[in-house]
Amino acid sequence: MSDARHNWTKDEILAIYNKPLMELLYEAATVHRKHHDPNTVQVSTLLSIKTGGCPEDCGYCPQAARYHTDIEGNDLMAVSQVKAQALRAKASGSSRVCMGAAWRNVKDGPEFEQVLEMVRTINKLDMEVCCTLGMITENQAKRLAEAGLYAYNHNLDTSEDYYKDVISTRAFEDRLDTIENVRKSNVTVCSGGIIGMGEALEDRAGMLVALTSLNPQPESVPINALVAVEGTPMEDIEPVSIWDMIRMVATTRIVMPETQVRLSAGRTEMSREGQAMCFFAGANSIFAGDKLLTTPNPDVNEDMAMFKMLGLNPQKPFTKVAQPKTVEAADSQLQPLGEKPKWSRPGHTIERNENAKQKAKIVE
């Protein structure tokens, strides 16, 4: 019987978050040991298969076309390139490859067919495959599942209340609808958020309320610290403290006991001691490799040295959920529907996003 609760309130979560630190750590570590091996950490490699040029206006993202950043855009990678990167990741200890494309939403056509072939190729390497491609329909989710997709990432980013201060080109409801579409397939859900974007503690609690309310809860929850990139609307925000990250990881572990909590963006700013406390508090997944899509990440050799020092072991693939079967394109029972769903465009403006957009025009 599951220990996951789906009726957490914001006040309850804030009470946990604000506990004396030693009590919070003890409770989180106790929950963690009940549901997971405390010495095993799942290692993922994040690969940007299509970089830059995104039409969204996410205030944190250097891949948005409207902002002027130093990100070099590239077209969709070839399947052979992705396979080579996946083999390299596997050799370095990763059990999962997460492929990210800077798209607003998936569109049926040659590029999506290419992504499906990437999924088939990596699954055949006996690695878990995750994709983050933007909003998707139920049919697209099922086609990804048929190809052998293990997980789909679609972060809520923040609370529903604060969402409108970060993004104006899509609605919070679009995130929930996409997760619901994924749940109609046999693909697991990866969904988390970012702290340090100027949100209040109530917003962090609100994001966890939304995540815990999902039934079932996401199998994986990435906790990211904002990496402020020059040229983005959030370029001047000070980094969030390690204590905030530890509290967020511990709180997430307590309210989502069966979920894998991933220590994600922002690890370059964390000491080994800080990361160790996050692992003790319940983090049992990381991204490895020198980049997270476009932002810096610790070198994989540094991570393996840290694992050795802490006595941690990389988790083997398909430990939590069995490996999906891959159906070849020629044998597929599903066809592209050429759908054109009307994902939301709320239409409000965010002052700091507009200012960054205008600054980019001046630079150009």
Side-chain angles (χ1 to χ4, degrees), residues 307-328:
F307 274 30
K308 185 175 181 180
M309 180 176 62
L310 298 177
L312 298 175
N313 302 302
Q315 179 178 296
K316 296 187 182 303
F318 313 111
T319 299
K320 300 289 185 179
V321 177
Q323 182 175 9
K325 292 182 179 179
T326 286
V327 176
E328 298 297 340

Side-chain angles (χ1 to χ4, degrees), residues 37 40 49 63 107 127 147 182 193 229 255-256 288 292 340 360:
D37 178 351
T40 299
I49 58 173
Q63 298 204 63
K107 296 177 181 176
M127 297 186 76
V182 173
V229 177
V255 300
M256 306 181 77
L292 293 188
K340 295 182 179 179

Side-chain angles (χ1 to χ4, degrees), residues 151-206:
Y152 194 84
N153 168 264
H154 204 61
N155 289 337
L156 296 187
D157 293 331
T158 187
S159 71
E160 184 171 6
D161 290 339
Y162 194 62
Y163 197 83
K164 61 183 180 297
D165 294 313
V166 178
I167 301 157
S168 73
T169 52
R170 61 171 185 259
F172 192 79
E173 194 64 32
D174 292 329
R175 315 305 277 178
L176 299 177
D177 288 346
T178 288
I179 290 171
E180 185 178 344
N181 287 337
V182 173
R183 281 294 183 209
K184 292 172 183 174
S185 70
N186 61 354
V187 174
T188 65
V189 168
C190 174
S191 185
I194 307 169
I195 68 170
M197 298 192 293
E199 75 284 348
L201 292 186
E202 288 78 8
D203 292 307
R204 296 177 190 176

Side-chain angles (χ1 to χ4, degrees), residues 50-80:
K50 189 273 177 186
T51 306
C54 183
E56 303 279 49
D57 78 333
C58 307
Y60 53 79
C61 187
Q63 298 204 63
R66 65 191 68 203
Y67 308 136
H68 183 79
T69 63
D70 291 331
I71 300 304
E72 288 188 21
N74 67 268
D75 295 331
L76 190 64
M77 291 175 67
V79 175
S80 59

Side-chain angles (χ1 to χ4, degrees), residues 332-350:
S332 173
Q333 301 298 305
L334 298 168
Q335 298 300 318
L337 302 179
E339 301 164 279
K340 295 182 179 179
K342 293 190 179 297
W343 300 105
S344 299
R345 292 188 184 273
H348 69 282
T349 58
I350 302 170

Side-chain angles (χ1 to χ4, degrees), residues 39-51:
N39 297 315
T40 299
V41 175
Q42 190 273 323
V43 182
S44 296
T45 293
L46 186 55
L47 178 63
S48 182
I49 58 173
K50 189 273 177 186
T51 306

